[in-house]
Amino acid sequence: MEAISRRKALGMLGLTAGALAVTGCTPVKVFLRWYPVEFDKDLDRVKRVLAAFVDAVVPGVGPRQNDPTRHLFDPRFPLHLHTGYLAADLCRRARDCLGSPAFEFLSGEERAQVITEGLGADPTTARLYAGAIYLTQISSYVGIYDDSDGCPTIGWEGRYRPRSWTDLTYPRADEFLANELGVRGNFA
C-alpha cells in the first residue's frame, strides 16, 4: 500500500472543503450531528419543540392526541433519524428570527414564520421541513395510528359505526314520495 504524500492529503482536504462550501454544510451537519448535544440528550425538550411544530402545521391537533409527535419518532419513517436536528434547527431559527431561544413558547404566527423560513432555506433543510410537514398532515388527517378517532378538523368521523334506523332515514319520508296515481293515470 502506497503512503499518501502530505501534498496529496492537503489537496484532498482542500477539495472536500471546497465541495462543502459550494453545496452548503447542512448535509454534513445532519450526518455528523453538528448541532447542540442537548437535543440528543433531552428527549422531553425535543418532544415539546416538535409538538409545537405539529400544532403550528395542523392547529388543534396537539390537544386531541395523546402523543402528537408519534409519527416523527416512528422508526418506519426515515425522519425519525433527524428529529434532534429538526428541533435544534427550529430553535436556532426562532432565536435568529425572533430573538426567542425556545420555539415551543412562540405564538402560532411566530411559529409559522420560523417554519416558512426553514422551508426557504438550503435544499436539504427545506426537504427536511417539507417531509416533516407532509408526514404531520398525513398523520393528522388520515389517522394512520387510530382510524377510530377520525379527524374533527375536516369533519371525518373515523371508522364506520353502525347507525340507528332514525339516523339512516328521513323523519317524514312520505313528503319525499310522489303522489299516487289512480288506475286511469290521475292523481288519487
Side-chain angles (χ1 to χ4, degrees):
M1 180 172 208
E2 181 181 331
I4 283 184
S5 69
R6 182 175 179 195
R7 172 178 256 168
K8 192 171 185 177
L10 288 174
M12 293 297 280
L13 285 173
L15 185 64
T16 303
L20 287 176
V22 170
T23 61
C25 292
T26 302
V28 174
K29 285 181 184 178
V30 173
F31 181 70
L32 296 177
R33 299 182 179 267
W34 284 352
Y35 51 87
V37 75
E38 70 184 76
F39 290 98
D40 279 337
K41 291 186 177 183
D42 190 1
L43 186 61
D44 290 334
R45 171 124 194 253
V46 172
K47 284 197 173 212
R48 282 194 314 270
V49 170
L50 294 180
F53 172 81
V54 167
D55 189 50
V57 172
V58 182
V61 77
R64 187 169 47 96
Q65 291 181 353
N66 292 337
D67 185 9
T69 62
R70 178 179 177 182
H71 59 283
L72 297 172
F73 291 95
D74 192 334
R76 291 177 287 184
F77 305 117
L79 192 64
H80 82 280
L81 299 170
H82 309 297
T83 53
Y85 176 78
L86 180 61
D89 194 64
L90 285 166
C91 289
R92 182 187 62 80
R93 288 184 192 284
R95 184 186 66 239
D96 293 348
C97 291
L98 306 167
S100 172
F103 176 79
E104 62 268 31
F105 298 124
L106 297 176
S107 70
E109 291 177 7
E110 292 171 332
R111 290 178 191 166
Q113 181 181 354
V114 170
I115 293 170
T116 302
E117 184 175 313
L119 285 169
D122 61 273
T124 303
T125 303
R127 187 173 175 192
L128 180 67
Y129 275 69
I133 290 169
Y134 184 66
L135 186 60
T136 298
Q137 290 174 340
I138 287 175
S139 172
S140 301
Y141 293 135
V142 178
I144 60 176
Y145 294 108
D146 188 10
D147 62 349
S148 63
D149 281 349
C151 182
T153 309
I154 60 173
W156 180 57
E157 298 175 4
R159 66 174 172 78
Y160 177 76
R161 293 171 182 84
R163 309 257 190 239
S164 69
W165 180 252
T166 57
D167 288 341
L168 295 174
T169 59
Y170 291 106
R172 295 181 313 269
D174 58 335
E175 291 179 1
F176 300 103
L177 299 175
N179 292 329
E180 295 180 20
L181 297 177
V183 177
R184 297 190 177 186
N186 296 327
F187 293 109

